Amino acid sequence: DAPQSDIDQFFKDN
Amino acid sequence: LEAKFDDSTIFKKIIDSFKDSVSQINFMCSESGIEAQAIDDSRVLLVSLSIPPSCFETYRCDRPTTVGVYLSSLSKLLKSASSSATLTLYVEDQPDELLLLFEESKASKSMEYKMKLVDITADMLEVDSDMKSDVSVEMSGVEFTKIVRDLTQLSDSFTVSVGKDGIVFSVDGETASGKVLLQPKEDLANPENNLSISMTKTIDLSFASKYLLDIIKASTLSNMISLKFSEETPALFEFKMEKGGGIGFYLAPKYDE
């Protein structure tokens, strides 16, 4: 099964 | 804060649409409405909620206030919601509780609940709501919900591809596979059946089925769903409410192997 990416990789901490 | 829904089931639908995705949330209340953002524990799904003043019969917020709640508790109180009752949310200046007042004028009945607020230290991610996407799709929420329910039974992984033929939803499980192709259409008599695709590039992305099953719980908020995809970025699944605002789910894709 393909590994899952997470949301933090894409959005900056505000 | 003093915010009154003319139909208490609206707030119940909003809360039920994401209470299984995240356990707690900070509602950021200001004069421009109530906004909230939360990320699920596995940090794969980001929920972004907007309830503008237009969703309320009356709305007043004198100064920006953060209202942190456990969604399981709030959801229990909202079981009292009915379409014949109004619901007013009250929060004091130095908030330590949320007051919910249900009023049924016909039945001369009112119900009052108080809920302790919680101090949630949640990080806010910067999400650009005008995020550029390669593919935008508008389609029936009912249709999307059915496809997700049908196909996710077969596999933990759900693939969306958009190309010149239309949009393809597919799964490839151990014992069975399935595929649904939809092409753009315009149904003038029933615009909720319309499907439109705008595309600058083809995409082919896979997502974990379990998050899609959570996302479709928000389909009670809107007849239509808007999908936005770009290669290698989170997809946006958005349900816009009739009176403005709505809920968006940003779902991180699986890696292309």
Side-chain angles (χ1 to χ4, degrees):
Chain A
D1 202 15
Q4 174 68 57
S5 59
D6 65 52
I7 212 89
D8 303 271
Q9 290 165 250
F10 304 101
F11 299 129
K12 283 197 303 255
D13 254 322
N14 198 356
Chain B
L1 172 80
E2 186 178 326
K4 181 177 186 179
F5 291 98
D6 61 0
D7 171 356
S8 60
T9 60
I10 296 170
F11 194 51
K12 178 176 163 43
K13 280 183 196 168
I14 293 171
I15 299 304
D16 286 349
S17 73
F18 66 98
K19 73 173 167 58
D20 298 327
S21 306
V22 295
S23 56
Q24 54 192 28
I25 201 161
N26 278 329
F27 292 111
M28 319 290 273
C29 309
S30 72
E31 60 181 359
S32 54
I34 299 177
E35 304 215 329
Q37 190 195 90
I39 302 165
D40 86 301
D41 290 343
S42 56
R43 303 195 74 81
V44 171
L45 184 67
L46 183 148
V47 180
S48 173
L49 171 71
S50 160
I51 319 175
S54 56
C55 290
F56 299 90
E57 188 181 309
T58 55
Y59 182 87
R60 185 174 65 85
C61 182
D62 298 337
R63 58 184 61 97
T65 308
T66 300
V67 178
V69 295
Y70 288 122
L71 290 164
S72 58
S73 312
L74 181 56
S75 166
K76 281 179 198 158
L77 306 188
L78 289 171
K79 289 198 173 122
S80 293
S82 87
S83 55
S84 59
T86 63
L87 167 61
T88 313
L89 309 174
Y90 295 94
V91 180
E92 296 292 326
D93 275 354
Q94 297 292 325
D96 61 357
E97 61 185 20
L98 168 67
L99 192 150
L100 295 94
L101 176 66
F102 295 92
E103 289 173 295
E104 288 182 38
S105 60
K106 276 191 196 131
S108 309
K109 177 180 169 189
S110 71
M111 285 176 282
E112 186 181 301
Y113 293 105
K114 284 178 183 168
M115 201 178 126
K116 278 209 162 48
L117 299 184
V118 282
D119 197 9
I120 300 165
T121 46
D123 48 344
M124 292 287 280
L125 297 181
E126 195 177 313
V127 179
D128 179 3
S129 54
D130 297 324
M131 196 170 67
K132 190 177 97 30
S133 56
D134 296 330
V135 173
S136 298
V137 178
E138 295 271 342
M139 65 178 285
S140 151
V142 173
E143 177 97 86
F144 181 75
T145 298
K146 177 162 175 29
I147 292 168
V148 168
R149 288 213 178 107
D150 290 349
L151 292 182
T152 54
Q153 299 179 89
L154 307 179
S155 171
D156 295 339
S157 195
F158 181 98
T159 300
V160 183
S161 319
V162 181
K164 61 177 174 32
D165 294 334
I167 181 164
V168 178
F169 302 99
S170 60
V171 291
D172 190 5
E174 276 176 34
T175 56
S177 65
K179 182 161 131 174
V180 177
L181 165 68
L182 296 175
Q183 292 177 309
K185 62 172 176 176
E186 200 173 348
D187 183 340
L188 291 174
N190 302 294
E192 68 274 15
N193 294 331
N194 287 356
L195 191 148
S196 67
I197 299 177
S198 77
M199 172 177 81
T200 54
K201 248 197 233 174
T202 62
I203 58 103
D204 183 46
L205 292 163
S206 290
F207 305 97
S209 295
K210 65 170 183 162
Y211 299 105
L212 288 158
L213 287 167
D214 279 338
I215 289 170
I216 58 172
K217 289 173 185 162
S219 63
T220 57
L221 291 176
S222 174
N223 290 332
M224 302 295 286
I225 181 170
S226 144
L227 315 172
K228 289 195 165 69
F229 302 105
S230 287
E231 210 57 60
E232 306 291 320
T233 66
L236 172 60
F237 302 81
E238 195 174 21
F239 297 91
K240 291 174 189 148
M241 294 190 286
E242 209 179 304
K243 292 183 175 174
I247 188 161
F249 296 88
Y250 292 87
L251 177 60
K254 291 191 167 196
Y255 287 114
D256 204 2
E257 276 176 312

